[in-house]
Amino acid sequence: MEKNLEAIYKGIIDGNQEAVASAVLLAVQAGLSPQIILNEGLVAAMGEIGRLFEAGEYYVPEMLISARAMQNGLNLLKPHLVETGVKAAGVVLLGTVGGDLHDIGKNLVGMMLRGGGFEVIDLGTDIKPEKYVEAVRQYSPDILGMSALLTTTMTNMVLTIQALESAGLRGRVKVMIGGAPVTEDYAQKIGADGYAPDASLAVKTASVLMGR
Ligand code: B12
């Protein structure tokens, strides 16, 4: 692995914010593509954190410290990532579903969508169905993007779609979903209009939903 990527990876595993920040800047200066820094450095390390957590070697505090180091690195990479986007217009309302506090993936999707020329309204985390409905009414977005990282919270995506139907708003907004436990099959099953496994494909999916 390239030495700066290795330093990013190790810095996230160790939860060392400063090390991650300087390695991200050095990797950019060394001319590595922002996509490679993102996928092979930052995202790969978060995958390893998940594995360590599952194996009982890391607990929530360690996971949180690593997540902060990742988020900080991501913020530094942001100006370079968004430069690469394809232009497409539309308004996307984004949020992590009720009961779920994971927001790194959602934030990344938001950044990439902005880079792709979309206007993004980010509602944050733990968004209950009623809150999504209220926001759809208030902002009239073209697309509603929901993120879920827990198998126990992804069911809130169905409840939100049902709440939009009951409010008579379902026909006015396309629904796009994502997050580690979410699949294309699940999206079809619950009647979502689109699914993407990562942030770059989220931009493509959103563009397709806009008819581009
Ligand atoms: C960091 C992390 C945390 C941090 C979150 C910090 C934060 N601000 O987000 C903290 C420590 C708070 C945390 C807490 C918990 N976590 Co956690 N966490 C993770 C971890 C390690 C990484 C997640 C991450 O950021 N990945 C990196 C990003 C870039 O990837 P991503 O989120 O998948 O997003 C990408 C795609 O999915 C997609 N995408 C995401 N959203 C969307 C939305 C749309 C619209 C689209 C199109 C695409 C899209 O694009 C993104 C970018 O490419 C995962 C492990 C893993 N491998 O996922 C566990 C994990 C998700 N957590 C888990 C658990 C169990 C928990 C806790 C319940 C632990 C506990 N006992 O308290 C709590 C729950 C808290 C809550 N109520 O939400 C489990 C979930 C198990 C399950 N099957 O449900 C996992 C899988 C760990 C594990 N292997 O067991 N966690």
Side-chain angles (χ1 to χ4, degrees):
M1 199 193 277
E2 198 273 342
K3 72 173 190 313
N4 294 309
L5 290 180
E6 205 175 318
I8 293 171
Y9 189 92
K10 184 170 182 304
I12 291 182
I13 306 288
D14 297 343
N16 185 337
Q17 256 193 55
E18 290 76 28
V20 175
S22 66
V24 165
L25 295 175
L26 284 170
V28 170
Q29 273 168 26
L32 288 180
S33 96
Q35 288 300 337
I36 290 198
I37 302 175
L38 176 67
N39 294 325
E40 295 181 19
L42 298 162
V43 173
M46 286 317 278
E48 175 62 8
I49 299 294
R51 197 197 61 76
L52 290 167
F53 179 74
E54 231 167 303
E57 290 178 42
Y58 268 26
Y59 295 94
V60 173
E62 286 95 346
M63 197 152 72
L64 194 57
I65 293 166
S66 291
R68 286 202 189 118
M70 152 92 179
Q71 187 72 62
N72 191 43
L74 199 57
N75 285 338
L76 291 171
L77 196 61
K78 184 174 170 178
H80 305 281
L81 272 177
V82 297
E83 272 169 15
T84 57
V86 189
K87 293 283 164 224
V91 177
V92 183
L93 191 67
L94 263 190
T96 302
V97 297
D100 201 325
L101 302 175
H102 295 85
D103 65 357
I104 296 176
K106 166 189 70 62
N107 294 346
L108 190 52
V109 168
M111 273 180 204
M112 296 300 277
L113 285 170
R114 285 193 180 103
F118 285 88
E119 182 188 335
V120 176
I121 301 160
D122 191 340
L123 299 174
T125 58
D126 190 17
I127 307 301
K128 308 272 185 309
E130 321 74 80
K131 206 159 165 199
Y132 279 118
V133 167
E134 195 187 302
V136 166
R137 203 174 268 123
Q138 184 181 351
Y139 299 108
S140 300
D142 300 295
I143 300 171
L144 168 63
M146 286 187 275
S147 179
L149 264 284
L150 299 170
T151 42
T152 47
T153 59
M154 63 194 270
T155 46
N156 286 325
M157 292 174 160
V158 195
L159 298 179
T160 304
I161 291 178
Q162 286 166 353
L164 286 170
E165 275 160 9
S166 310
L169 293 169
R170 180 65 184 95
R172 287 188 12 204
V173 67
K174 300 278 188 199
V175 175
M176 173 168 86
I177 62 171
V182 180
T183 61
E184 177 81 60
D185 268 6
Y186 183 72
Q188 281 184 10
K189 201 172 108 197
I190 68 167
D193 303 294
Y195 156 79
D198 62 43
S200 344
L201 289 172
V203 180
K204 276 204 189 123
T205 305
S207 303
V208 170
L209 293 179
M210 295 300 296
R212 282 163 225 269

